[in-house]
Amino acid sequence: MTIAGNLAQLQQQIHEACRRANRSDSEVALMAVTKVHPVEVILEAYAAGHRLFGENRVQEFQEKSQHLTALNDAKFHLIGPLQSNKTARAAELFHAIDAVDSLKIAQRLDAAAKALGKKLPVLVEVKLSHEESKHGLDPAELPDLLAALEPLESIQAVGLMTVPPWSEDAELARPYFRDLRKLRDQSLANFPKLTQLSMGMSNDFRIAIEEGSTCVRIGTSIFGKRIMASAG
């Protein structure tokens, strides 16, 4: 199937998941994850009407961005871990940073966004699994980090994100999604702008929607297997 066909099929699946969860389709955004895919797939998805994209690496997207200047209304989010020495470039290239997990990174992003005259939305990545390969903040540290972000003028924490352990059984992700929603709900009283929940990928997005996700990050189901070597 074409990328346009895959996008249409996914939107229908999101619609069905929202209906089962008694939610409106408008509550759930579909992010097309284009990491380690060539720039042509972004152009093809854009031509099909898609506007929200996720990339994992600053350097990789910097190379792609040279070919995307005409896509004025597309939004690109950084969804992978961010090294402190790449915060300035990330603030310049991306419309939002979805994987902030430390005050140091947040402060550097704030300074970079301020220099650019930007107001940069960020999500805090929370690590809810014990896998060494996963990134994110310990949930016990979330209240302190959110409080420390409040005085920063050029970034705004607007939600949380997490990546559960991968399993063929999507149901095994449900407790992680539920825990992230609880963390968000507990935080709302003190941080009312923290409304977004970025969780759910190709194999488990239906479960994520049932548990309150406001953005599902889908790559494989749209673009197939990764076909470009990863850049730095």
Side-chain angles (χ1 to χ4, degrees):
M1 194 179 286
T2 64
I3 287 174
N6 290 341
L7 285 165
Q9 187 176 68
L10 270 167
Q11 291 289 5
Q12 180 60 31
Q13 292 169 344
I14 290 170
H15 168 75
E16 292 167 0
C18 287
R19 187 174 59 190
R20 287 194 301 272
N22 294 314
R23 300 180 65 194
S24 166
D25 293 16
S26 63
E27 296 177 33
V28 182
L30 170 59
M31 177 182 289
V33 178
T34 49
K35 63 180 183 180
V36 292
H37 286 290
V39 71
E40 287 78 13
V41 305
I42 300 176
L43 297 172
E44 190 173 337
Y46 183 89
H50 200 74
R51 295 295 182 267
L52 179 61
F53 299 90
E55 285 277 338
N56 247 45
R57 295 172 182 264
V58 175
Q59 185 176 327
E60 180 186 331
F61 183 64
Q62 182 177 349
E63 294 167 4
K64 293 178 183 179
S65 66
Q66 304 166 44
H67 308 284
L68 303 171
T69 53
L71 311 189
N72 294 326
D73 55 343
K75 301 292 184 185
F76 294 93
H77 290 218
L78 179 66
I79 61 172
L82 177 59
Q83 297 170 312
S84 59
N85 65 341
K86 294 184 178 176
T87 48
R89 187 51 53 88
E92 179 183 349
L93 289 171
F94 292 98
H95 297 93
I97 309 295
D98 291 3
V100 171
D101 62 2
S102 74
L103 180 58
K104 176 184 176 182
I105 291 291
Q107 289 171 331
R108 291 181 71 107
L109 281 171
D110 181 66
K114 186 173 184 179
L116 293 164
K118 292 177 72 170
K119 183 79 169 182
L120 197 62
V122 303
L123 301 183
V124 176
E125 182 171 11
V126 183
K127 182 178 179 180
L128 296 172
S129 79
H130 297 293
E131 293 178 297
E132 288 295 322
S133 60
K134 292 290 189 291
H135 297 268
L137 184 76
D138 186 297
E141 299 174 4
L142 179 61
D144 286 345
L145 178 61
L146 291 174
L149 297 184
E150 282 285 281
L152 302 181
E153 296 179 356
S154 296
I155 66 169
Q156 174 70 60
V158 296
L160 307 178
M161 74 95 79
T162 199
V163 181
W166 190 90
S167 171
E168 290 189 7
D169 182 359
E171 274 293 334
L172 295 179
R174 190 182 295 275
Y176 299 93
F177 297 151
R178 189 168 287 166
D179 287 348
L180 192 72
R181 187 188 73 217
K182 288 178 181 175
L183 282 172
R184 191 275 312 269
D185 292 349
Q186 292 164 3
S187 302
L188 277 173
N190 292 323
F191 308 100
K193 294 182 179 177
L194 199 81
T195 57
Q196 297 179 28
L197 287 175
S198 178
M199 56 190 196
M201 296 184 284
S202 289
N203 64 315
D204 55 21
F205 71 88
R206 298 170 185 83
I207 303 296
I209 289 171
E210 291 174 10
E211 294 300 331
S213 177
T214 64
C215 181
V216 294
R217 308 182 301 272
I218 311 290
T220 303
S221 294
I222 301 172
F223 306 112
K225 300 263 184 215
R226 301 173 187 178
I227 55 177
M228 187 180 97
S230 175

